[in-house]
Structures are given as structure tokens and as C-alpha cells.
Amino acid sequence: MAELIETLEDGVLLLVMNRPEAMNALSANMMDGLIKGLRRGAEDPEVGCVVLRGAGEKAFCAGGDVKAMAAGGRMQGASHETKIADLRARMRVSEMLHDMPKPTIAVVNGVAAGAGLSLALAADMRFAARSARMTTAFAKVGFSGDFGSHFFLHKLVGTAKARELYFTAEILNAEKIEKLGLANWVVDDDKLQAEAMAFAKKLAAGPRVAWWHVKHNMKVAEEGTLSAALDSEAARMIRTGETEDHKEAARAFVEKRAPVFVGR
């Protein structure tokens, strides 16, 4: 059974973490599949948006496979340096979700815990079911945390709240998830997939070149100064103004019709 399922529909690449019997905990095979799938999402011109979710109804992703860890794991006997390099390579998944030049959406169906929470937060936006639960969880198994959740949490909720969520490993219900801004939309469970995919298809049909520049601007704003952000915005406004999509949108505005974007 494939542990990562890929489907492409109307410009949306749907990646499904497929270990429902283990609450979609991250295995080596799943991580390999995610890296390949996200690479395809970033590079394939047929893809305009990437959606990540978990199989089944109980979990988006429960994080690392603790049972495998307890059994010693695949890196047993390796040096610290080798283990660090291996983990850092796998953590590239969070970078790809966050940095790829296309919109990414996490559909949180059920539990997002530990590294699973990190992956959800790495996406540009999140849809959460009313049954969804989020927790850092790392403290409960004696870990400090990985896959970027320190970075994403403090950006989303502020440093003090991020520290609290790490130190307490509180399990957040949908009401708290929405209040903290950890999800862009909280919807009824039976509408979750349909609403998320409809939104993703709308993005995929949008001005894809502009989306690439928006994501670059966001990265500069997150990591740099105001001056650097203004420089990036100025350069990319001029570049997007030269695209076919911009010219089509301007014509459509004058003609009072919906634009038809072509991604150029």
C-alpha cells in the first residue's frame, strides 16, 4: 500500500498521507513520498496549487512514528552527525511546503500533533475540521521539536504563546485553533474536503506567476527588513505587470468580465 497518494485534478495536486492505522505517523517511506510529491508540485507546470491531508477521519498526522523510535529506529548505531544530517534532509518537507512558488494548503482532518502540526503550519493556509485537534506534543515524549514549528508558531501566535504551547503541549480544539489564527477556516467535518478543494481549484485557476512573486515577497518580509521587503515588492510589481495574466486581467476589468489566466 502506498503511504503517500498523489492525485492531480483541475490544477490541484492532492497529497494524502496514507497510514490511517497509525494516525498517519511519518514513516521513512512516507517522507520519501512527500519529498517527491512536493518536488513535483513545485516543478510540474500542470500544478497550480498543492493540498496536503491525512487519510481517514482521525488524523491529519500524529507526527513521528514513536513505536518505530521505541524499537530503535532505522538510524540505530549511526553517529550523531549522520543522524542530524538525515533529520535535516527530511525536514526539507517543511521548507518545500513553505517556500515552493505555488500556494499550499493543509487540510487538517482530525489530529495534527508534533511534526504533523509542523507540516500543517508550514503550508500557506489551513482548513480545519470542527473535530480537529492541534498540539505540539513533543514535550510528552521528551523531545524539543522539529520540522519548523518553532519558526511557524512564533510567527503565527507570537513568542510568548508559542513558548506556552511548547511547554504545556496543550491540546487545542477547533475553537482555540480558530481564535489563535492557526487555521484560516474551520468548517464542518462533512464539508471539509469539498470546501478546501474548491478553494484550491480557484487558486490554481488564478494568476500563477503572481502567486510565485507573492510567496517570494512573503519570505522576504518574514526574514528581512522593511527596506528589503519594499525592494522586493517594487521589483516584483514591475515584473508581474509585464505578464500576460496582468494584461488579460486589465482587459477583463475594462470589459466587465472574469479574467482567464494562462500562467504567463
Side-chain angles (χ1 to χ4, degrees), residues 105 125-129 178 183-187 192 195 199:
I105 299 169
M125 292 161 285
R126 284 153 294 284
F127 279 79
E178 189 169 32
N184 300 79
W185 300 273
V186 173
V187 300
L192 179 67
E195 291 197 18
F199 181 73

Side-chain angles (χ1 to χ4, degrees), residues 23-245:
M23 297 186 73
N24 301 314
L26 298 169
S27 66
N29 287 338
M30 186 187 289
M31 294 304 304
D32 290 342
L34 278 170
I35 289 172
K36 291 175 183 176
L38 291 171
R39 186 176 293 121
R40 176 192 176 189
E43 297 174 356
D44 189 341
E46 296 300 314
V47 176
C49 182
V50 175
V51 174
L52 178 66
R53 68 160 291 157
E57 304 302 324
K58 293 184 178 180
F60 170 76
C61 175
D65 192 335
V66 178
K67 289 184 179 180
M69 295 175 198
R74 65 188 181 87
M75 298 298 290
Q76 191 171 15
S79 68
H80 283 96
E81 290 74 15
T82 299
K83 291 178 180 178
I84 291 168
D86 177 74
L87 177 57
R88 182 63 182 87
R90 287 183 281 126
M91 287 164 63
R92 175 76 176 132
V93 169
S94 295
E95 282 184 296
M96 296 170 80
L97 276 168
H98 191 61
D99 294 346
M100 79 162 61
K102 299 172 185 180
T104 58
I105 299 169
V107 179
V108 183
N109 51 311
V111 174
L117 174 63
S118 304
L119 295 184
L121 299 184
D124 294 318
M125 292 161 285
R126 284 153 294 284
F127 279 79
R130 295 201 185 280
S131 64
R133 299 292 183 267
M134 293 183 178
T135 176
T136 58
F138 294 111
K140 292 184 177 180
V141 287
F143 274 135
S144 55
D146 56 8
F147 282 82
S149 55
H150 293 88
F151 178 87
F152 300 121
L153 266 181
H154 101 265
K155 292 287 186 182
L156 287 166
V157 304
T159 298
K161 191 66 180 181
R163 290 171 189 246
E164 175 192 324
L165 293 175
Y166 251 97
F167 292 145
T168 65
E170 178 184 358
I171 299 173
L172 305 173
N173 60 20
E175 182 180 359
K176 289 187 176 181
I177 289 168
E178 189 169 32
K179 183 178 180 180
L180 287 171
L182 293 175
N184 300 79
W185 300 273
V186 173
V187 300
D188 293 338
D189 289 37
D190 59 350
K191 298 177 181 177
L192 179 67
Q193 185 69 6
E195 291 197 18
M197 289 299 290
F199 181 73
K201 290 177 182 180
K202 184 177 179 180
L203 289 179
R208 295 185 183 183
V209 178
W211 295 161
W212 187 91
H213 288 290
V214 166
K215 290 207 58 169
H216 186 91
N217 282 337
M218 287 292 182
K219 181 175 174 62
V220 172
E222 286 171 348
E223 300 175 3
T225 63
L226 173 59
S227 179
L230 295 174
D231 288 345
S232 180
E233 287 179 348
R236 292 168 194 285
M237 275 292 286
I238 297 303
R239 291 176 187 174
T240 53
E242 296 170 348
T243 62
E244 291 182 33
D245 280 347

